[in-house]
Amino acid sequence: MQITLQQIGKKATLLVVSLSVLLTGIATAGMKTADAREEYVAHSPAFIDTNGHWAAKEIGIATKKGLIKGFPEGTFKPEQTVTQEQFLSLIERVIPSFTGHEPDSSIKETYLQAAAGRWSEKTYHHLSSAGIMPSGKPTDSITRLEAARALLAAIGHQSEGEKYRGTTAKFFTDLSVENETQVMTVYPAYKMGILAGFPDGSFRPDDKINRAQAVVLLNRLETKISELYPGNVSESEKKAMTQAVSSFVGDVMEKQKIRRFDDLVAYVKKNNLPVSESFLREHFSFMQYEVYDYVRFPQFNELMYFAKIGMNKYRMTVQYYAGDLGGSVDRTFYLSSSDGKTFRLIGKDE
C-alpha cells in the first residue's frame, strides 16, 4: 500500500484576473485564500491560441465544466508548464468533497511548510489527510512521475503498485525494473490508462507537464473515477456504510483495544456482530503475529469512494494518510445489504 465560494468583483478587471488564478497561482489583490481556490466559473471561452491545437477538444470540455481557466488576454497558453500546487488544485476540483482533518506534525514539517502563506495552502492542508501530496515544492514543475503518483492516490489506487513489486517485465525503455519506486508508480498508472508512453517506447518520468497535458489528465481522472466506482449509491447508503465500518473499527481498536486475532473472532461471535471472518482476515490479519506493526486505519473523514458492485454488494474505498509507517494508503472495505440501511461487513470474495 503506498498516498467553492464564488466571488464576483465589482470591477470587470477583477473578474478577468480571477479567471487566471487556478492554473497560474496568481492571487488577486484583496482576495482571501479560499477565493483563490474557488474562482468565478466562466463558460466556454474561446482561446485565441488553442485553435488547431492537439488538445483543443479536451481543453474545451474541461473549460465548459468550469474546471480550468484562461488568461486575461484571452489565451490559454497550452505549452506553459504546470506547477505542483496548480496540479493539486486541479485534482481537488474533480475528486469528491471530503471534510478531512488536521494534519499531524510530520506532514506539516515534511509537506506543508513550503506552502505556508501561499494561495495553495488550503489545498495542501485539505489533500494531505487523503495522502495526496507531491514530493517537491509548490512552485516546482510537476513531472510525469509526480503526476502519476498524485493521480493514483486521487482515485484510491496506489495499492495497485504492489502488483509490480519485484517484476522483471520491462514496459519502458527508460525505466529500470531495479527502480522499484518508479515501477510501482508508473506501471499501474500506465496499465490503468492514466498516463501513456511515447511512440519510441519511453515513459520520460522527469518530463514536465504543460497546461494542455494537465487538462487531458484532468479529464482522464474524471472518467476513471466513474469507471472504478459504478452504481448509484445514495447519500443515506454512503452514510450507513461509513458508520458500519467506522464504528466497528473504532470499537475493536480503540474501545475494546483488542490486539489478538483469536480474541477478535471470539468478540464478534459472542456479540453476534454483522461481520464475517473473511472480513476480519482481510483487515486484521496482522493480529495473528506475536509482534507486529500495523498501518493505522482511516478516520473516515478522508477521501472516500463508494460503489455498488452486485445485487446486494457494495464497496467502499478510503484514501488517506496512515502516518509515517503507512504513508499514503488506500483501503477497501466490502459490505452487503438487502435494504440499503443495515450493512454486514464481508470479505472481497463473499
Side-chain angles (χ1 to χ4, degrees), residues 95-341:
I95 61 178
S97 61
F98 62 94
T99 304
H101 49 76
E102 183 66 16
D104 62 29
S105 58
S106 176
I107 289 184
K108 288 181 178 179
E109 295 173 5
T110 307
Y111 297 103
L112 305 184
Q113 188 59 43
R118 296 189 58 78
W119 66 269
S120 59
E121 183 176 12
K122 273 197 170 183
T123 291
Y124 269 70
H125 275 250
H126 182 222
L127 296 184
S128 67
S129 64
I132 305 176
M133 300 168 287
S135 62
K137 298 177 181 178
T139 53
D140 287 346
S141 296
I142 189 81
T143 65
R144 285 169 55 81
L145 178 63
E146 287 303 316
R149 194 188 320 282
L151 289 169
L152 282 175
I155 59 174
H157 272 64
Q158 279 186 309
S159 60
E160 286 290 301
E162 290 295 332
K163 294 180 179 179
Y164 304 96
R165 185 185 294 277
T167 184
T168 58
K170 190 173 179 63
F171 287 5
F172 302 102
T173 58
D174 55 347
L175 278 185
S176 170
V177 292
E178 296 178 356
N179 192 332
E180 197 169 72
T181 299
Q182 287 194 358
V183 166
M184 292 176 66
T185 298
V186 172
Y187 280 24
Y190 167 67
K191 294 295 286 185
M192 295 180 71
I194 300 174
L195 278 88
F198 290 89
D200 63 0
S202 65
F203 183 81
R204 306 176 194 176
D206 298 323
D207 273 14
K208 298 174 182 178
I209 287 178
N210 61 37
R211 287 164 59 85
Q213 294 166 335
V215 168
V216 172
L217 294 178
L218 187 67
N219 288 336
R220 286 181 185 172
L221 171 62
E222 191 171 44
T223 299
K224 186 57 65 174
I225 289 173
S226 298
E227 292 175 355
L228 293 172
Y229 303 102
N232 183 22
V233 184
S234 68
E235 290 303 315
S236 61
E237 287 175 318
K238 293 177 182 179
K239 184 177 180 180
M241 291 168 66
T242 304
Q243 178 62 28
V245 178
S246 62
S247 60
F248 177 74
V249 171
D251 181 35
V252 300
M253 296 301 294
E254 303 300 329
K255 186 177 179 180
Q256 305 299 326
K257 298 187 182 300
I258 298 173
R259 294 295 182 266
R260 292 291 176 263
F261 189 76
D262 290 344
D263 294 338
L264 178 62
V265 173
Y267 177 74
V268 169
K269 290 182 177 179
K270 177 182 178 181
N271 293 278
N272 196 28
L273 300 179
V275 182
S276 75
E277 190 166 336
S278 179
F279 177 91
L280 299 180
R281 285 195 300 271
E282 287 181 14
H283 296 285
F284 297 90
S285 60
F286 58 85
M287 289 185 176
Q288 298 181 58
Y289 301 97
E290 288 299 320
V291 179
Y292 60 79
D293 288 321
Y294 64 92
V295 176
R296 73 186 185 198
F297 285 88
Q299 296 182 32
F300 299 97
N301 55 13
E302 303 95 344
L303 175 59
M304 300 179 69
Y305 286 108
F306 302 86
K308 190 168 184 179
I309 56 177
M311 180 66 70
N312 298 312
K313 190 172 182 178
Y314 298 76
R315 187 177 69 223
M316 182 177 86
T317 296
V318 188
Q319 169 66 39
Y320 66 107
Y321 182 75
D324 292 338
L325 177 63
S328 179
V329 174
D330 55 89
R331 187 185 289 269
T332 297
F333 304 94
Y334 291 85
L335 307 92
S336 64
S337 177
S338 59
D339 59 7
K341 297 178 181 179

